[in-house]
Amino acid sequence: MKKLVFVFTGLILIFTLSCRQVSIQTQSAEKVAQITDEERMEWWQDARFGMFIHWGIYSVPAGFYKGEAQTNSAEWIMNKGKIPIAEYEKFAEKFNPTKFNANEFVALAKTAGMKYMVITAKHHDGFSMFNSKANPYNVVDATPFKRDVLKELAKACQEQGIKFGFYYSQAQDWHHPGGMGNNWDKSIQRVSSDEYVYEKALPEVKQLLTAYGPIAIFWWDTPRKMTKSVVDSLYHITTALQPSIITNDRLGDEYPGDHKTFERHGPRYQPEAKYWELCQPISGSWGYRSDDDQFKSIKTLIHNLIDQSSKGGNYLLNVSPTHEGTLRLEATERLKAIGAWMDKNSEAIYGTQASPTSAEPEWGRITMKTIDNKGLLYLHVYNWKNGASLPIRLKNEVASCYLLTDPSREFKTQTDGHGIKVKLTGKAPDSIASVIVLKLKEMPNALPQKALGQDKDGIVKLPAYRAQYENLQGPGAQYNERLDCVGDWQSETARVYWSFEIDKLKAFNLTGSFAGENDTEITISFNGSSKKIKISVSGNPKKFKKVDLGIFSVDKPGRYEVSFLPVAGKWKPVSLKEVKLQPTRFK
């Protein structure tokens, strides 16, 4: 009987939402039809910088359970500590952040130069940080605080001109009996994932998109294998209720979202994706941990912001409020320092495009704007030496060159067959990044950059930092600079690939060096041919072992792609480096 009631209730909900969708789509169809994806994404791309907030009742234990520090970020403590639901719920009774002030919080983001804000409406622990009508396990009904945090932030953002958005964990929910991820609390009387979505997730998403004003961003996280109908429902209600909303790439299959997401580590090389974002915590943990002193330096944070902008991406910097509702002094000091730099140099960040040269200069980074069909470059100089020349791989005539913060301070330039050289004079105006404006007389004309391809011996070397990534089910692989490899390859749906040129026709022996704790299986695809390969590893995640991946043939010159995709159900995380295609003969 309970199941029948649920199905009937679910059908009513779906019917109600469908009617609402039809009504909204009818009212706004003409308006939406006139807005292109480029127009919808314009503000987001121009913004370049946003604030991420991970906040929940996990800030009460702050990384410690029964006196012992738990591994991973603070918001994972329920999972890592295997805390039963009944025991974890008690943290809500102690959550009373009376020092929280939404206006001050948004003002701090604005001071830092951030243009948008995204906060965890519900994380994996299932606790809702708003006055959920579908779930009494929320900040208003289950805590002594009794205030809707998200309502207050939404209002403050609207008043102060900051775009507002929500993070929502749609598949994982360690509190609801139908949510995924809780495999330790044996007291749970399991129900289907569909029941969880229709009973909790879908109504909550609807409430978030109808009761909090204009919502600019919906940030999904950690998708799992959910039925197509529930994923479709989550997607359609989002776009129907807020037609101009921007979503990331973590909802599920068939829904790549509007932008690609990198987590913790930005791409070393400019991604092929048109829109992308790096999310990164300001310290070591996403949520507040009392023992987290791994705050990134002011220099690192500013360079990260510049680096993402120079590759055409956004930077979503995360902060973690305490159970009192405030940020640690280390976080506020860093945000204010970023803001001080942005006060002088934001022109070189907001509304910029990626550098017209793909190679990263040793002296810093380049961002660009196009004005009157001419290139306007911003040279972010990290390593300033009096008398040194900055090489720029552009074959252009220069109209003018001057310091952004003092246009009267000009610099001499020279253009020859090797590109443009800008001569530095005097002391560095900024100890972190000094910005020089380089106005060109036309659009940038980049000198040829050597594409990935064959060397004089016909060998193709594919460095890890040049890898591209594709994953419709969230994060799963990214460049690990410390080990110079493709790492954090957790998801079996994460595809890693390289594009390159071949001009000398040969058969090639493909090899790669792998490291991991367990053997795994992977599908290699190249030139229309695919092979499933068993990968034997050393058992040490830092010790790489060379593996022969098979022989592939090429019958005409051109651009090719080699792709690595985990075999579903047989994937064990590994790292990959030193991929090569070596000319050989068929045996």
Side-chain angles (χ1 to χ4, degrees):
M1 179 61 70
K2 179 181 177 182
K3 192 63 115 177
L4 290 175
V5 170
F6 157 69
V7 173
F8 182 67
T9 303
L11 290 174
I12 291 176
L13 175 61
I14 296 171
F15 177 75
T16 302
L17 295 178
S18 299
C19 290
R20 173 68 172 155
Q21 290 172 16
V22 171
S23 174
I24 292 173
Q25 288 173 333
T26 300
Q27 295 171 17
S28 59
E30 183 177 348
K31 180 179 179 181
V32 174
Q34 296 173 353
I35 300 176
T36 65
D37 283 344
E38 287 76 14
E39 291 171 329
R40 187 168 54 85
M41 296 295 293
E42 184 177 4
W43 76 262
W44 185 88
Q45 190 174 35
D46 287 349
R48 288 290 177 232
F49 193 25
M51 176 182 279
F52 212 2
I53 305 171
H54 275 63
W55 196 22
I57 59 174
Y58 41 79
S59 62
V60 173
F64 286 79
Y65 177 55
K66 292 184 177 180
E68 294 186 5
Q70 302 300 307
T71 59
N72 211 322
S73 289
E75 70 282 0
W76 276 81
I77 191 170
M78 184 180 179
N79 176 288
K80 296 302 178 179
K82 307 300 181 188
I83 306 176
I85 290 174
E87 192 170 339
Y88 188 80
E89 286 177 343
K90 294 178 182 178
F91 293 134
E93 300 170 8
K94 300 177 181 179
F95 186 75
N96 192 21
T98 54
K99 294 182 180 180
F100 172 70
N101 185 306
N103 289 322
E104 292 179 0
F105 220 96
V106 174
L108 179 60
K110 195 168 184 177
T111 295
M114 295 161 161
K115 293 291 189 179
Y116 59 102
M117 177 181 287
V118 179
I119 184 170
T120 50
K122 179 184 79 71
H123 210 276
H124 311 326
D125 64 353
F127 185 81
S128 301
M129 287 292 287
F130 63 102
N131 189 17
S132 172
K133 303 304 180 184
N135 169 33
Y137 189 50
N138 67 69
V139 71
V140 174
D141 295 324
T143 78
F145 192 51
K146 303 298 180 186
R147 284 163 49 188
D148 190 330
V149 168
L150 304 192
K151 182 75 74 173
E152 294 177 17
L153 281 172
K155 182 175 182 290
C157 281
Q158 291 178 42
E159 292 174 348
Q160 297 187 44
I162 298 288
K163 299 282 189 179
F164 189 55
F166 297 123
Y167 163 110
Y168 195 90
S169 175
Q170 74 276 13
Q172 288 201 81
D173 191 305
W174 306 328
H175 185 266
H176 193 283
M180 298 182 185
N182 188 336
N183 59 5
W184 62 88
D185 193 333
K186 304 307 179 184
S187 68
I188 299 175
Q189 300 297 313
R190 288 289 177 189
V191 298
S192 72
S193 175
D194 282 18
E195 184 168 343
Y196 148 70
V197 172
Y198 289 128
E199 182 178 289
K200 181 178 179 180
L202 197 59
E204 286 198 332
V205 171
K206 178 188 176 185
Q207 181 182 344
L208 290 169
L209 294 172
T210 54
Y212 293 83
I215 304 303
I217 296 167
F218 216 88
W219 215 97
W220 306 106
D221 198 23
T222 63
R224 295 294 185 266
K225 290 184 178 179
M226 306 168 75
T227 61
K228 187 176 186 303
S229 62
V230 300
V231 179
D232 288 348
S233 297
L234 290 168
Y235 170 78
H236 289 302
I237 190 176
T238 308
T239 55
L241 294 176
Q242 299 267 358
S244 297
I245 204 164
I246 292 169
T247 62
N248 67 336
D249 56 351
R250 297 187 179 183
L251 176 57
D253 290 337
E254 301 181 23
Y255 294 115
D258 295 301
H259 67 83
K260 182 177 177 60
T261 304
F262 290 86
E263 184 171 317
R264 286 190 179 269
H265 305 286
R268 175 77 183 275
Y269 201 79
Q270 184 176 332
E272 294 179 354
K274 185 174 182 179
Y275 305 110
W276 60 271
E277 176 184 73
L278 166 65
C279 62
Q280 183 183 70
I282 199 168
S283 55
S285 175
W286 293 102
Y288 172 69
R289 287 187 66 111
S290 59
D291 62 345
D292 181 11
D293 294 317
Q294 300 177 34
F295 284 87
K296 296 169 182 63
S297 69
I298 293 168
K299 178 180 178 179
T300 295
L301 293 169
I302 292 175
H303 282 187
N304 285 351
L305 171 59
I306 295 169
D307 186 51
Q308 309 325 305
S309 299
S310 75
K311 296 181 175 74
N314 283 20
Y315 188 35
L316 186 62
L317 181 60
N318 181 80
V319 295
S320 46
T322 68
H323 69 281
E324 294 183 322
T326 59
L327 296 178
R328 281 180 53 169
L329 181 61
E330 295 92 333
T332 57
E333 287 178 340
R334 282 158 174 75
L335 292 174
K336 290 176 180 178
I338 297 171
W341 185 88
M342 287 288 281
D343 282 343
K344 298 179 291 184
N345 300 288
S346 61
E347 178 187 325
I349 298 294
Y350 298 145
T352 58
Q353 304 159 258
S355 169
T357 65
S358 58
E360 295 180 346
E362 293 183 0
W363 47 262
R365 296 291 184 270
I366 302 172
T367 55
M368 186 187 97
K369 289 180 181 177
T370 301
I371 299 177
D372 298 329
N373 205 31
K374 297 176 183 178
L376 181 67
L377 273 60
Y378 299 95
L379 315 181
H380 301 256
V381 186
Y382 299 168
N383 305 312
W384 184 293
K385 294 181 180 179
N386 182 34
S389 291
L390 307 180
I392 303 158
R393 294 186 57 78
L394 295 176
K395 194 172 183 180
N396 287 92
E397 292 298 320
V398 176
S400 61
C401 185
Y402 55 86
L403 190 68
L404 176 61
T405 55
D406 182 6
S408 66
R409 186 172 173 181
E410 299 180 340
F411 302 90
K412 292 182 179 180
T413 66
Q414 177 184 347
T415 302
D416 56 27
H418 299 289
I420 299 172
K421 290 182 179 179
V422 175
K423 187 174 182 179
L424 300 178
T425 55
K427 295 182 178 179
D430 193 290
S431 61
I432 293 178
S434 304
V435 182
I436 293 174
V437 180
L438 185 68
K439 285 188 176 181
L440 306 180
K441 292 184 177 180
E442 60 277 310
M443 288 296 290
N445 180 20
L447 290 170
Q449 304 267 359
K450 182 172 176 57
L452 285 176
Q454 294 173 283
D455 62 17
K456 60 182 179 62
D457 298 317
I459 299 172
V460 179
K461 298 178 182 178
L462 304 175
Y465 75 89
R466 292 288 296 270
Q468 297 287 332
Y469 309 97
E470 181 180 64
N471 189 16
L472 297 183
Q473 291 196 19
Q478 56 191 359
Y479 178 65
N480 183 319
E481 189 168 7
R482 185 169 57 87
L483 296 178
D484 187 28
C485 68
V486 175
D488 296 318
W489 202 345
Q490 303 295 325
S491 174
E492 64 182 23
T493 62
R495 185 174 76 97
V496 178
Y497 64 99
W498 284 263
S499 297
F500 50 91
E501 303 283 344
I502 288 182
D503 47 25
K504 303 169 187 175
L505 306 185
K506 293 278 186 179
F508 294 90
N509 183 39
L510 180 66
T511 63
S513 291
F514 292 84
E517 296 181 352
N518 301 290
D519 294 349
T520 191
E521 291 189 34
I522 199 165
T523 298
I524 313 292
S525 299
F526 175 54
N527 194 24
S529 176
S530 295
K531 299 179 181 179
K532 287 185 179 180
I533 306 291
K534 291 185 177 181
I535 306 295
S536 176
V537 294
S538 65
N540 184 334
K542 295 182 180 180
K543 185 176 181 181
F544 288 85
K545 176 181 176 182
K546 183 178 177 181
V547 179
D548 285 327
L549 302 172
I551 296 176
F552 298 83
S553 63
V554 172
D555 55 7
K556 61 181 179 181
R559 189 169 183 81
Y560 290 86
E561 177 184 288
V562 62
S563 169
F564 296 76
L565 180 66
V567 175
K570 297 183 179 180
W571 178 247
K572 303 295 181 183
V574 295
S575 297
L576 169 63
K577 70 188 307 185
E578 297 177 358
V579 176
K580 291 183 182 180
L581 288 98
Q582 183 104 21
T584 186
R585 292 173 178 245
F586 282 115
K587 295 181 180 179

